[in-house]
Amino acid sequence: MDIYRIKGGKKLSGEVEISGAKNAALPIIVACMLADGESVLRNVPDLMDIRTIIKVLEFLGAEIDFNKEKKIVRIQVNKIKNGEVPYELVKTMRASVYVMGPLLARTGEAYVSLPGGCAIGERPVDIHLSGFEAMGAEITLEHGYIKATAAALKGTSIIMRKISVGATANLMMAAALAKGKTILENCALEPDIVDLGNFLIKMGAVISGLGTDRIEIEGVSKLNPVNYTIIPDRIEAGTFLIAGAITRGNITLKNVIPAHIKSLTETLGQIGFDIKEDKNSVHLGECRKLKGAMIRTLPFPGFPTDLQAPVMSLMTSIPGISVVIETIFENRFTHIPELRRMGADITIENNIAVINGGQKLSSAPVMMSDLRAGAALIIAALGAKGTTEIRRIYHSDRGYEKLSEKLSGLGADIVRVKGGNP
Ligand code: UD1
């Protein structure tokens, strides 16, 4: 298995181009199954998770061509071959459960292995399933597989018990082809959901309320294949901004939507970093006197849980006390033992981490436990004294495109060592 070897202490500088959003591309690729014919998606990042969802769709009979250089995915749907979506595909990525909505809507049945994904807590799918039930589906769980059947999905009113990005996306896709009107309440407001909604509207779906907590979908009998460009990845953008900050660098993100990372740029501003925004770029410049900050992870537009681990690495370098409260996932502090091995002073009380920052971390062999914990370790290593070796980097391949190339382009001393972890 490959490892990253990072020599810390280099100030990052220059420009970095942000890729398309993984969490928007995943449901949009799946939503192509809602229409027969060829859909063309642009700005699709080349990531392990994208390759996995493509395999899932190919398993279901779609013909897919991914031009990785041009970042264009062509998806041809003729006949859907409905079968058990195997554990081997679903175990690596929870978003595979997205196929349930389109499969139910188009074929009246779906068999999907209960998902796996990041090791960040329980992550059940009950909100997806109870939504399908409310629309008339029958759900059973057998041998680790979810079986859903519905003669015809019917629009209805659904109040989701908790804000869920995945459930909002899945139910929107199912409702687009259901009979009658579906009203979804307590919806996720994430830009990825708005992007999926805009894609569905382009296909011919009748949707209002995107970006609010109440989305109304008037079902139609048929959708059409379309061409669509995926929004930029706000989590990748945030990760680079934090990487720049820990090195006290001077970097510009290109191809971003500044409003999507407002909660992060505001936090960086409170800490004392100078941030400038333009229409599609964000610049991190000189820092003033730095001081600790407090963040609480929340659904969008609050501080994203996916940037919690990366920002905690930064906080270890900021003089004074910082506080991080994780409210979305119950087991999302797995980066902390690794950061402590690099010298971080962090105490945990339930879902609250208190960071006593200001000391430079020092290199140590560390291991990624999930995608965003992995990003936190890379950031820590960029700011640390000495050379850090990071193992299990397949986690970061799931969600960061050309990570070492992009960081090297900003002046980081990072190499990916092939087979570095025998
Ligand atoms: C998505 C993102 C992930 C991000 C997360 C929260 C994708 C592919 N992944 O994950 O990067 O960290 O949103 O912003 O877009 N829950 C239930 N029952 C359900 C569904 C969710 O209890 O049926 C809970 C989860 O355990 C969690 C919370 O709801 O505590 C939010 O989860 P959700 O928004 O669904 O996350 P994902 O869609 O899996």
Side-chain angles (χ1 to χ4, degrees):
M1 276 189 281
D2 297 358
I3 65 167
Y4 279 133
R5 191 171 289 148
I6 298 173
K7 187 160 179 233
K10 289 261 159 74
K11 259 186 191 230
L12 299 192
S13 68
E15 292 181 358
V16 60
E17 192 77 27
I18 299 305
S19 299
K22 165 178 94 71
N23 289 351
L26 288 169
I28 289 173
I29 289 172
V30 173
C32 291
M33 280 204 304
L34 290 165
D36 283 337
E38 187 184 76
S39 289
V40 181
L41 305 178
R42 293 171 202 280
N43 202 30
V44 180
D46 180 17
L47 302 168
M48 277 319 291
D49 275 9
I50 299 294
R51 293 182 186 200
T52 304
I53 204 74
I54 286 175
K55 279 194 203 141
V56 172
L57 256 66
E58 284 173 340
F59 174 86
L60 294 168
E63 284 169 32
I64 304 187
D65 174 67
F66 187 2
N67 184 327
K68 300 186 179 86
E69 282 310 305
K70 294 194 170 148
K71 304 177 186 305
I72 297 175
V73 176
R74 289 173 192 278
I75 302 177
Q76 175 80 39
V77 178
N78 297 320
K79 197 173 167 340
I80 296 176
K81 278 195 310 196
N82 210 343
E84 285 178 6
V85 181
Y87 179 61
E88 283 313 306
L89 290 176
V90 180
K91 75 171 184 202
T92 55
M93 192 186 61
R94 183 182 156 77
S96 314
V97 80
Y98 278 150
V99 297
M100 287 197 79
L103 281 178
L104 262 179
R106 296 245 19 226
T107 70
E109 50 189 20
Y111 309 95
V112 181
S113 171
L114 266 172
C118 286
I120 56 173
E122 235 176 72
R123 304 189 87 177
V125 288
D126 61 297
I127 305 170
H128 304 235
L129 301 185
S130 59
F132 293 140
E133 275 178 334
M135 295 172 84
E138 206 169 292
I139 310 275
T140 48
L141 290 178
E142 291 166 6
H143 312 296
Y145 278 76
I146 309 165
K147 180 176 172 194
T149 47
L153 290 176
K154 287 188 223 48
T156 185
S157 195
I158 299 169
I159 303 176
M160 289 174 274
R161 70 165 175 84
K162 193 172 180 181
I163 297 177
S164 160
V165 174
T168 306
N170 223 339
L171 297 177
M172 268 167 62
M173 290 191 277
L177 285 177
K179 233 181 163 41
K181 183 190 257 191
T182 302
I183 300 173
L184 299 177
E185 297 205 64
N186 203 22
C187 293
L189 275 53
E190 266 65 3
D192 314 291
I193 294 293
V194 176
D195 209 33
L196 169 66
N198 286 333
F199 176 73
L200 293 172
I201 290 169
K202 202 165 180 198
M203 291 178 102
V206 181
I207 302 178
S208 60
L210 289 175
T212 75
D213 60 0
R214 180 186 160 103
I215 298 178
E216 293 193 11
I217 303 138
E218 189 69 60
V220 295
S221 56
K222 184 172 172 284
L223 293 170
N224 304 305
V226 290
N227 285 3
Y228 194 79
T229 302
I230 309 286
I231 53 166
D233 195 312
R234 67 202 158 95
I235 306 299
E236 187 202 16
T239 303
F240 276 102
L241 218 46
I242 296 168
I246 202 167
T247 69
R248 309 297 185 254
N250 208 306
I251 67 167
T252 303
L253 311 179
K254 293 285 190 193
N255 184 36
V256 279
I257 299 174
H260 290 178
I261 50 170
K262 201 81 201 156
S263 59
L264 173 67
T265 46
E266 276 178 11
T267 301
L268 292 175
Q270 281 160 17
I271 292 175
F273 291 98
D274 184 40
I275 304 279
K276 287 199 175 59
E277 293 171 0
D278 221 328
K279 192 163 168 275
N280 295 116
S281 66
V282 173
H283 177 76
L284 169 110
E286 291 306 305
C287 50
R288 303 182 294 276
K289 191 170 161 20
L290 300 176
K291 61 175 187 345
M294 191 193 96
I295 60 139
R296 178 192 299 271
T297 64
L298 286 170
F300 189 83
F303 196 95
T305 175
D306 287 349
L307 289 176
Q308 176 261 109
V311 88
M312 197 184 295
S313 293
L314 169 65
M315 284 166 165
T316 65
S317 77
I318 307 296
I321 297 289
S322 290
V323 177
V324 169
I325 307 173
E326 171 60 56
T327 75
I328 308 288
F329 292 113
E330 66 276 14
N331 185 20
R332 216 170 195 185
F333 282 160
T334 55
H335 49 289
I336 293 178
E338 301 300 280
L339 291 179
R340 283 186 185 139
R341 301 188 63 246
M342 298 177 74
D345 179 355
I346 304 174
T347 46
I348 312 173
E349 179 82 33
N350 300 317
N351 64 333
I352 303 173
V354 177
I355 302 106
N356 184 7
Q359 302 290 340
K360 234 186 191 329
L361 298 181
S362 57
S363 59
V366 288
M367 206 185 277
M368 295 186 182
S369 53
D370 71 52
L371 169 57
R372 307 304 175 187
L377 298 182
I378 290 171
I379 288 164
L382 290 170
K385 281 183 286 198
T387 301
T388 300
E389 288 193 347
I390 308 179
R391 291 174 165 67
R392 301 202 179 164
I393 64 172
Y394 53 84
H395 286 294
S396 61
D397 293 341
R398 286 187 51 201
Y400 291 97
E401 189 180 41
K402 296 197 168 69
L403 184 58
S404 53
E405 288 91 329
K406 286 188 183 185
L407 284 170
S408 301
L410 291 170
D413 188 341
I414 173 170
V415 279
R416 185 179 179 120
V417 184
K418 289 252 169 263
N421 184 21

